[in-house]
């Protein structure tokens, strides 16, 4: 079974015109949750990721690895192993390509859907779409979808901050994302943010990708 990003598999399963949020009474998040949301958000950064897809009918998860670049509302999510694929998120659409020799192809032009995936990859949570609960004694948020449409995709999303000691004893900032779908299958993504500075070539890679997709340049 070929490996693919979680986002690509989700796009195939749900029609974008179904992604409408049900109206609910808005509850102001607690200060604890607000503070954690600020820590989880990635406004600009890059790093490596490992993704493991756990299926109930398989004893061993499907593992893929690659790197990511995030700037503002745009993100490049590129799988390097076991096979290449690249996912580009912009504020207005989502694109992908399956080889370096081809341009990006449109997956969906739904801004709502792009915003949902942006929540997963950048940690920028829209509190109108999710019920939020902080986990005791851990830097984790449990996200439960509010609308019936989102519940078709997710049973729960967990966003956690993890610090891992390096050989130099300086912590690397990690995020662990656990996605539980409506069937109970889980995808666990570990994002390790690089301590290296965000440089011009990183921004150029993102701009080049958006140019290839035919969208506006990343700002």
């Amino acid at each position: 079974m070929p490996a693919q990003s979680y986002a690509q598999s989700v796009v195939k399963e749900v029609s974008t015109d179904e992604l409408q949020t049900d109206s609910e009474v808005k509850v102001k998040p607690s200060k604890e949750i607000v503070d954690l949301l600020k820590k989880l958000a990635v406004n600009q950064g890059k790093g490596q990721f490992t993704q493991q897809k756990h299926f109930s009918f398989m004893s061993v998860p499907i593992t893929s690895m690659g790197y990511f670049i995030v700037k503002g509302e745009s993100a490049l999510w590129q799988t390097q192993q076991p096979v290449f694929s690249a996912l580009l998120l912009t504020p207005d659409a989502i694109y992908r390509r399956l080889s370096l020799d081809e341009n990006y192809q449109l997956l969906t032009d739904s801004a709502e859907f792009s915003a949902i995936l942006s929540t997963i990859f950048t940690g920028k949570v829209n509190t109108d779409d999710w019920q939020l609960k902080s986990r005791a004694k851990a830097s984790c948020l449990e996200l439960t979808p509010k609308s019936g449409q989102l519940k078709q995709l997710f049973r729960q999303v967990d966003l956690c901050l993890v610090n891992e000691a390096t050989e130099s004893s300086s912590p690397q900032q990690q995020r662990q994302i656990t996605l539980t779908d409506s069937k109970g299958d889980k995808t666990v993504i570990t994002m390790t943010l690089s301590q290296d500075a965000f440089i011009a070539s990183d921004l150029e890679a993102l701009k080049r990708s958006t140019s290839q997709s035919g969208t506006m340049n990343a700002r």
Side-chain angles (χ1 to χ4, degrees):
M1 182 176 181
Q4 62 179 340
S5 75
Y6 187 85
Q8 293 175 30
S9 63
V10 168
V11 168
K12 292 179 181 179
E13 294 177 3
V14 178
S15 171
T16 56
D17 59 7
E18 293 178 340
L19 296 174
Q20 301 297 326
T21 303
D22 294 342
S23 59
E24 293 194 8
V25 177
K26 294 183 179 180
V27 178
K28 186 176 180 180
S30 66
K31 182 181 183 301
E32 180 184 10
I33 289 178
V34 170
D35 290 343
L36 188 50
L37 285 171
K38 290 179 181 178
K39 293 178 182 178
L40 283 166
V42 180
N43 293 311
Q44 180 172 292
K46 61 181 179 178
Q48 308 291 321
F49 74 85
T50 300
Q51 173 182 286
Q52 291 189 319
K53 298 185 72 172
H54 299 261
F55 295 97
S56 57
F57 55 86
M58 296 180 66
S59 58
V60 178
I62 297 174
T63 301
S64 57
M65 294 178 287
Y67 75 89
F68 62 89
I69 299 173
V70 175
K71 182 170 176 61
E73 301 304 319
S74 296
L76 177 62
W77 189 265
Q78 187 160 301
T79 301
Q80 301 292 100
Q81 297 178 0
V83 293
F84 175 90
S85 68
L87 192 74
L88 174 67
L89 283 78
T90 74
D92 304 309
I94 303 171
Y95 302 83
R96 75 165 178 182
R97 63 174 176 171
L98 301 179
S99 78
L100 288 169
D101 298 328
E102 66 179 34
N103 288 336
Y104 284 87
Q105 303 296 318
L106 179 68
L107 275 181
T108 174
D109 58 0
S110 166
E112 291 84 1
F113 198 90
S114 184
I116 289 169
L117 292 185
S118 179
T119 291
I120 296 171
F121 296 133
T122 70
K124 299 174 183 177
V125 180
N126 185 342
T127 56
D128 292 338
D129 295 330
W130 307 90
Q131 293 178 354
L132 307 180
K133 179 182 178 182
S134 59
R135 189 177 298 166
K137 298 182 180 179
S139 298
C140 293
L141 277 181
E142 295 180 5
L143 279 62
T144 304
K146 290 182 178 180
S147 73
Q149 290 79 19
L150 271 178
K151 290 174 183 177
Q152 295 178 27
L153 292 176
F154 307 107
R155 182 180 297 176
Q156 182 174 301
V157 175
D158 296 327
L159 301 179
C160 297
L161 285 175
V162 182
N163 285 328
E164 180 182 79
T166 65
E167 294 181 357
S168 62
S169 298
S170 97
Q172 282 188 313
Q173 193 178 47
Q174 288 189 321
R175 283 159 175 73
Q176 188 173 79
I177 306 159
T178 303
L179 307 149
T180 306
D181 66 21
S182 58
K183 299 176 183 178
D185 292 329
K186 292 188 177 183
T187 299
V188 180
I189 301 171
T190 301
M191 298 171 62
T192 302
L193 287 167
S194 172
Q195 296 182 29
D196 296 333
F198 197 89
I199 59 179
S201 61
D202 299 318
L203 181 57
E204 186 59 34
L206 199 54
K207 284 185 175 181
R208 184 168 60 251
S209 296
T210 54
S211 176
Q212 290 173 346
S213 70
T215 64
M216 63 180 180
N217 286 340
R219 294 188 176 88

